[in-house]
Amino acid sequence: GGGIGGGGTAQAAWFTGGACYFYGQLLTVVAIAGASPMIVFVVKAVEPLSTALLAIPILGQRLNLALFAGLILACAGIITTYLGGHNSDEATVGLARSYSSSASLTVLSALLANLGFSGRACMVKQAYSRSGSSPLATLTTLSLTGTI
């Protein structure tokens, strides 16, 4: 029927989306704990692009040139910000190495968090189209599944 529970496919969407939400939150905290929040939020700013890219395999959307150009521009901005945070002074080589490794883990964690939140957004859209429930009920149910 049109209830929130749905069949096996709908339940798979709930659990997949809930897991994406959980890991998105967890990896955001890991990223913030790893290095400067500035780096985390610069990386997280490209989440709409990762959502658009995940919509291709999950929702059957098509990739367009404007999206691809935006992705390249955003990645260039992330790399510029990342490289701008490093100091090449000889006296701080050890600090720069530890910062570099920490920043790399931060960027990786933030990118994976983006994939988690993007996966959640795609699964919400998929679950909404299959369940027939209201958008708020769909999002709430999927988010609660991720917290359980």
Side-chain angles (χ1 to χ4, degrees):
I4 291 177
T9 306
Q11 286 179 346
W14 298 124
F15 289 113
T16 302
C20 287
Y21 176 64
F22 172 80
Y23 285 108
Q25 292 287 6
L26 176 67
L27 289 166
T28 298
V29 171
V30 168
I32 291 172
S36 169
M38 176 194 72
I39 294 172
V40 175
F41 291 109
V42 166
V43 174
K44 289 189 66 56
V46 300
E47 184 183 322
L49 296 173
S50 62
T51 301
L53 287 175
L54 272 182
I56 295 168
I58 295 174
L59 301 172
Q61 301 292 318
R62 299 181 73 182
L63 177 67
N64 63 38
L65 188 57
L67 175 65
F68 185 70
L71 181 62
I72 289 178
L73 184 62
C75 289
I78 290 170
I79 291 169
T80 301
T81 302
Y82 176 77
L83 293 175
H86 295 290
N87 188 350
S88 62
D89 186 13
E90 292 281 333
T92 60
V93 169
L95 179 61
R97 282 190 188 137
S98 69
Y99 176 77
S100 175
S101 127
S102 178
S104 298
L105 178 61
T106 297
V107 169
L108 177 63
S109 296
L111 285 172
L112 291 173
N114 278 355
L115 288 177
F117 287 120
S118 295
R120 172 185 164 216
C122 291
M123 297 312 294
V124 164
K125 186 170 183 178
Q126 186 179 65
Y128 172 68
S129 68
R130 292 182 181 172
S131 73
S133 61
S134 74
L136 182 59
T138 303
L139 178 62
T140 302
T141 302
L142 200 133
S143 296
L144 287 174
T145 302
T147 60
I148 294 175

